[in-house]
Amino acid sequence: MPDRTEVKARRKREEMQVSDKNSRFAGLAGGRGKIRKRKKLMFTGIVEEIGYVVSIRHGPASAALAIQAEKIFDGGGSVCGTAVRNGVDHAAANAFGAAVGNGTYRVTAAVSSCGVAVGDSICTNGVCLTATSVDPEAKVFTADVMNATLKRSTLGELQTGSPVDLERAMSANGRFGGHIVSGHIDGVGRISAMHRDDIAIWYEIKASPDIMKYVVEKGSIAIEGISLTVAGLRNGGFAVSVIPHTQEETVLVTKHVNSRVNLECDIIGKYVERFTGAYAELLRRGIG
């Protein structure tokens, strides 16, 4: 067993190494001298607000979004700034243009700077994106979108001025209002029918068998990042019933028959399938 003097010396060397590393990368942490630690975070499917794409830059097989929003930059969720509802905030786009390079999407949401920092995870139309830069003056953050995400989601269909659902990762002291949403979508579905039922709006959505095997009646599903309950199963699809508030406060208000939507199934079912399948294989091999 090493003596206490040796242990203290080793710890001191490790602390000095960490301090040196932080000082060399201080500029990447907003001048604070410490590197912002990235954590695996989750969402709840309770959309905080609708943001708007101010500009999009495409790379050979990637993109970068710049997004403007009102509430997500305010830690308490209160409105700050002016929302871009109809069209694009061109002044913000021009001011931020130099910060957006090739292969970068630009999404704008009228946002204040108090609730978003570089490195934060922000669910955008159901897809977990990382804020790569933040401009408090323009109230814009940017996020890179890689090729695999473009192929698996509808983010590649966004245009300048497109609305997007936004939700920050859940804080440890937050209220769990929806269900566990990772922001790692399973694929894209298509709205096959819509109809009104008194105050409710029904959406029928077609999805592939790879997605439908995880969809359970009365279970949870995220559509464009919105936590919803599966109200019924249909041939090759499912249906959800949406209250007016949910429709009006999310991008569902812009959707129509044949619109494509990002889908994320309840993560619990996928883990159960994985674990039970692995155990069944062990039993088959006579190991379990």
Side-chain angles (χ1 to χ4, degrees), residues 237-248:
F238 63 94
V240 294
S241 183
V242 179
I243 62 173
H245 175 80
T246 300
Q247 189 201 40
E248 293 166 4

Side-chain angles (χ1 to χ4, degrees), residues 1-273:
M1 177 181 296
D3 60 35
R4 294 182 180 180
T5 303
E6 181 182 346
V7 171
K8 288 182 178 180
R10 185 173 67 248
R11 287 179 179 174
K12 184 65 176 179
R13 289 194 300 270
E14 291 173 352
E15 289 173 359
M16 292 177 65
Q17 290 172 353
V18 171
S19 176
D20 178 64
K21 183 177 181 181
N22 284 338
S23 65
R24 285 186 286 115
F25 289 95
L28 299 178
R32 289 175 289 183
K34 292 184 179 179
I35 300 172
R36 184 178 179 85
K37 293 182 179 180
R38 293 293 312 284
K39 299 178 181 179
K40 287 188 176 180
L41 301 170
M42 55 161 282
F43 309 93
T44 68
I46 304 300
V47 173
E48 294 185 80
E49 70 171 311
I50 297 176
Y52 291 85
V53 177
V54 265
S55 65
I56 303 174
R57 296 287 183 90
H58 292 278
S62 62
L65 295 172
I67 302 176
Q68 185 176 15
E70 282 191 27
K71 300 177 183 178
I72 64 168
F73 276 67
D74 174 42
S78 60
V79 176
C80 43
T82 303
V84 179
R85 298 293 183 194
N86 300 310
V88 179
D89 184 342
H90 294 286
N94 291 335
F96 205 64
V100 182
N102 289 335
T104 300
Y105 260 118
R106 215 181 153 168
V107 180
T108 306
V111 200
S112 99
S113 64
C114 32
V116 177
V118 172
D120 281 356
S121 297
I122 302 175
C123 194
T124 306
N125 277 3
V127 181
C128 179
L129 298 179
T130 299
T132 55
S133 65
V134 175
D135 188 332
E137 297 297 324
K139 300 176 181 177
V140 172
F141 72 90
T142 60
D144 293 329
V145 185
M146 58 188 173
N147 189 32
T149 304
L150 291 175
K151 289 182 176 179
R152 197 160 189 155
S153 72
T154 63
L155 292 188
E157 301 171 12
L158 294 175
Q159 301 177 2
T160 301
S162 291
V164 288
D165 285 335
L166 299 175
E167 180 194 356
R168 291 167 296 177
M170 181 181 179
S171 59
N173 63 346
R175 177 177 293 144
F176 206 123
H179 71 281
I180 297 174
V181 177
S182 68
H184 305 153
I185 68 167
D186 295 296
V188 174
R190 180 179 57 82
I191 299 175
S192 59
M194 295 171 56
H195 68 272
R196 184 172 291 276
D197 180 13
D198 194 7
I199 65 168
I201 303 97
W202 282 82
Y203 291 82
E204 294 188 19
I205 297 174
K206 295 286 187 182
S208 69
D210 288 342
I211 293 175
M212 287 304 302
K213 67 179 181 179
Y214 300 116
V215 181
V216 180
E217 187 169 358
K218 305 299 183 182
S220 298
I221 191 164
I223 302 175
E224 294 290 281
I226 308 160
S227 176
L228 295 170
T229 299
V230 177
L233 301 179
R234 302 288 189 267
N235 184 27
F238 63 94
V240 294
S241 183
V242 179
I243 62 173
H245 175 80
T246 300
Q247 189 201 40
E248 293 166 4
E249 296 299 321
T250 67
V251 297
L252 286 181
V253 73
T254 68
K255 302 301 180 183
H256 51 78
V257 174
N258 288 325
S259 289
R260 290 175 11 112
V261 290
N262 293 323
L263 301 176
E264 181 187 337
C265 302
D266 194 339
I267 195 170
I268 295 175
K270 290 179 278 189
Y271 274 113
V272 169
E273 179 190 53

Side-chain angles (χ1 to χ4, degrees), residues 268-283:
I268 295 175
K270 290 179 278 189
Y271 274 113
V272 169
E273 179 190 53
R274 176 65 173 171
F275 294 153
T276 56
Y279 183 61
E281 176 62 18
L282 291 176
L283 290 177

